[in-house]
Amino acid sequence: MFAPGTNGLCKEERLCGKTTIAALVKCGHWGGTAHLKYCWAPRPEGAEFSRIMTGVPKKFFKRAVKRNLLKRRMREAYRTQKALVSSPVDVMFVFNSAEVADFAAIREEMAVILGRISKAVCQ
């Protein structure tokens, strides 16, 4: 549907697979904001684009409708701001609050997170 690297979010830009996720959690760098917790790791040389994964635990939201809403908001916030990350990374975003945040709050926190990652990758 969308080519990797464009403003869309295609299948190749989704982080999936037990081994890749386990490697990210084991070797990644962790951080957090008011509503989001994230883990990131740089991709190997030659990688063209970043990959992401979103998650919302059942612990906070029992209904799948709210979990899906928050995952859509996180993906959209990332999709519109993914140009902030200068080099390819794997990122896992986990919603870590018991209250449903509006899109503006998630978008602001996503900008902060992507700025932190971009700054850390450049160092």
PDB file of all heavy atoms in Angstrom, residues 85-97:
ATOM      1  N   VAL A  85      13.373  10.904  13.340  1.00  0.00           N
ATOM      2  CA  VAL A  85      14.462   9.961  13.619  1.00  0.00           C
ATOM      3  C   VAL A  85      15.386   9.931  12.408  1.00  0.00           C
ATOM      4  O   VAL A  85      14.956   9.645  11.296  1.00  0.00           O
ATOM      5  CB  VAL A  85      13.913   8.547  13.922  1.00  0.00           C
ATOM      6  CG1 VAL A  85      15.034   7.581  14.178  1.00  0.00           C
ATOM      7  CG2 VAL A  85      12.973   8.588  15.099  1.00  0.00           C
ATOM      8  N   SER A  86      16.653  10.222  12.651  1.00  0.00           N
ATOM      9  CA  SER A  86      17.593  10.392  11.544  1.00  0.00           C
ATOM     10  C   SER A  86      18.090   9.073  10.950  1.00  0.00           C
ATOM     11  O   SER A  86      18.308   8.980   9.758  1.00  0.00           O
ATOM     12  CB  SER A  86      18.782  11.225  12.014  1.00  0.00           C
ATOM     13  OG  SER A  86      19.369  10.618  13.147  1.00  0.00           O
ATOM     14  N   SER A  87      18.283   8.048  11.763  1.00  0.00           N
ATOM     15  CA  SER A  87      18.765   6.772  11.237  1.00  0.00           C
ATOM     16  C   SER A  87      17.822   5.648  11.676  1.00  0.00           C
ATOM     17  O   SER A  87      17.097   5.780  12.653  1.00  0.00           O
ATOM     18  CB  SER A  87      20.189   6.507  11.726  1.00  0.00           C
ATOM     19  OG  SER A  87      20.198   6.380  13.114  1.00  0.00           O
ATOM     20  N   PRO A  88      17.833   4.523  10.957  1.00  0.00           N
ATOM     21  CA  PRO A  88      16.892   3.438  11.242  1.00  0.00           C
ATOM     22  C   PRO A  88      17.069   2.809  12.628  1.00  0.00           C
ATOM     23  O   PRO A  88      18.185   2.489  13.028  1.00  0.00           O
ATOM     24  CB  PRO A  88      17.181   2.416  10.150  1.00  0.00           C
ATOM     25  CG  PRO A  88      17.925   3.136   9.104  1.00  0.00           C
ATOM     26  CD  PRO A  88      18.646   4.252   9.780  1.00  0.00           C
ATOM     27  N   VAL A  89      15.959   2.647  13.331  1.00  0.00           N
ATOM     28  CA  VAL A  89      15.947   2.013  14.649  1.00  0.00           C
ATOM     29  C   VAL A  89      14.730   1.107  14.761  1.00  0.00           C
ATOM     30  O   VAL A  89      13.771   1.242  14.012  1.00  0.00           O
ATOM     31  CB  VAL A  89      15.904   3.063  15.790  1.00  0.00           C
ATOM     32  CG1 VAL A  89      17.177   3.859  15.864  1.00  0.00           C
ATOM     33  CG2 VAL A  89      14.719   3.979  15.648  1.00  0.00           C
ATOM     34  N   ASP A  90      14.781   0.167  15.695  1.00  0.00           N
ATOM     35  CA  ASP A  90      13.619  -0.626  16.083  1.00  0.00           C
ATOM     36  C   ASP A  90      13.091  -0.029  17.377  1.00  0.00           C
ATOM     37  O   ASP A  90      13.862   0.195  18.311  1.00  0.00           O
ATOM     38  CB  ASP A  90      13.996  -2.086  16.317  1.00  0.00           C
ATOM     39  CG  ASP A  90      14.254  -2.848  15.028  1.00  0.00           C
ATOM     40  OD1 ASP A  90      13.812  -2.377  13.971  1.00  0.00           O
ATOM     41  OD2 ASP A  90      14.877  -3.920  15.096  1.00  0.00           O
ATOM     42  N   VAL A  91      11.784   0.236  17.430  1.00  0.00           N
ATOM     43  CA  VAL A  91      11.200   0.860  18.616  1.00  0.00           C
ATOM     44  C   VAL A  91       9.935   0.107  19.019  1.00  0.00           C
ATOM     45  O   VAL A  91       9.117  -0.247  18.174  1.00  0.00           O
ATOM     46  CB  VAL A  91      10.833   2.341  18.361  1.00  0.00           C
ATOM     47  CG1 VAL A  91      10.402   3.001  19.654  1.00  0.00           C
ATOM     48  CG2 VAL A  91      11.954   3.103  17.727  1.00  0.00           C
ATOM     49  N   MET A  92       9.791  -0.115  20.319  1.00  0.00           N
ATOM     50  CA  MET A  92       8.571  -0.685  20.877  1.00  0.00           C
ATOM     51  C   MET A  92       7.954   0.360  21.810  1.00  0.00           C
ATOM     52  O   MET A  92       8.622   0.836  22.729  1.00  0.00           O
ATOM     53  CB  MET A  92       8.881  -1.959  21.664  1.00  0.00           C
ATOM     54  CG  MET A  92       7.679  -2.551  22.347  1.00  0.00           C
ATOM     55  SD  MET A  92       8.027  -4.094  23.207  1.00  0.00           S
ATOM     56  CE  MET A  92       9.244  -3.597  24.405  1.00  0.00           C
ATOM     57  N   PHE A  93       6.708   0.724  21.545  1.00  0.00           N
ATOM     58  CA  PHE A  93       5.989   1.671  22.389  1.00  0.00           C
ATOM     59  C   PHE A  93       4.947   0.911  23.197  1.00  0.00           C
ATOM     60  O   PHE A  93       4.177   0.129  22.645  1.00  0.00           O
ATOM     61  CB  PHE A  93       5.263   2.723  21.532  1.00  0.00           C
ATOM     62  CG  PHE A  93       6.172   3.557  20.685  1.00  0.00           C
ATOM     63  CD1 PHE A  93       6.269   3.337  19.327  1.00  0.00           C
ATOM     64  CD2 PHE A  93       6.932   4.564  21.245  1.00  0.00           C
ATOM     65  CE1 PHE A  93       7.094   4.097  18.535  1.00  0.00           C
ATOM     66  CE2 PHE A  93       7.778   5.338  20.463  1.00  0.00           C
ATOM     67  CZ  PHE A  93       7.853   5.105  19.101  1.00  0.00           C
ATOM     68  N   VAL A  94       4.909   1.155  24.501  1.00  0.00           N
ATOM     69  CA  VAL A  94       3.916   0.532  25.377  1.00  0.00           C
ATOM     70  C   VAL A  94       3.201   1.636  26.132  1.00  0.00           C
ATOM     71  O   VAL A  94       3.846   2.483  26.771  1.00  0.00           O
ATOM     72  CB  VAL A  94       4.581  -0.450  26.374  1.00  0.00           C
ATOM     73  CG1 VAL A  94       3.539  -1.071  27.279  1.00  0.00           C
ATOM     74  CG2 VAL A  94       5.358  -1.513  25.637  1.00  0.00           C
ATOM     75  N   PHE A  95       1.866   1.633  26.050  1.00  0.00           N
ATOM     76  CA  PHE A  95       1.081   2.625  26.778  1.00  0.00           C
ATOM     77  C   PHE A  95       1.095   2.222  28.240  1.00  0.00           C
ATOM     78  O   PHE A  95       0.744   1.102  28.595  1.00  0.00           O
ATOM     79  CB  PHE A  95      -0.351   2.675  26.237  1.00  0.00           C
ATOM     80  CG  PHE A  95      -1.100   3.881  26.675  1.00  0.00           C
ATOM     81  CD1 PHE A  95      -0.952   5.075  26.000  1.00  0.00           C
ATOM     82  CD2 PHE A  95      -1.936   3.842  27.777  1.00  0.00           C
ATOM     83  CE1 PHE A  95      -1.632   6.206  26.404  1.00  0.00           C
ATOM     84  CE2 PHE A  95      -2.615   4.962  28.192  1.00  0.00           C
ATOM     85  CZ  PHE A  95      -2.468   6.149  27.505  1.00  0.00           C
ATOM     86  N   ASN A  96       1.486   3.142  29.123  1.00  0.00           N
ATOM     87  CA  ASN A  96       1.742   2.788  30.514  1.00  0.00           C
ATOM     88  C   ASN A  96       0.981   3.694  31.476  1.00  0.00           C
ATOM     89  O   ASN A  96       1.566   4.220  32.409  1.00  0.00           O
ATOM     90  CB  ASN A  96       3.254   2.866  30.771  1.00  0.00           C
ATOM     91  CG  ASN A  96       3.655   2.128  32.012  1.00  0.00           C
ATOM     92  OD1 ASN A  96       3.012   1.160  32.383  1.00  0.00           O
ATOM     93  ND2 ASN A  96       4.712   2.581  32.654  1.00  0.00           N
ATOM     94  N   SER A  97      -0.307   3.881  31.241  1.00  0.00           N
ATOM     95  CA  SER A  97      -1.121   4.722  32.106  1.00  0.00           C
ATOM     96  C   SER A  97      -2.529   4.144  32.164  1.00  0.00           C
ATOM     97  O   SER A  97      -2.984   3.522  31.208  1.00  0.00           O
ATOM     98  CB  SER A  97      -1.156   6.151  31.550  1.00  0.00           C
ATOM     99  OG  SER A  97      -2.013   6.949  32.316  1.00  0.00           O
TER     100      SER A  97
END
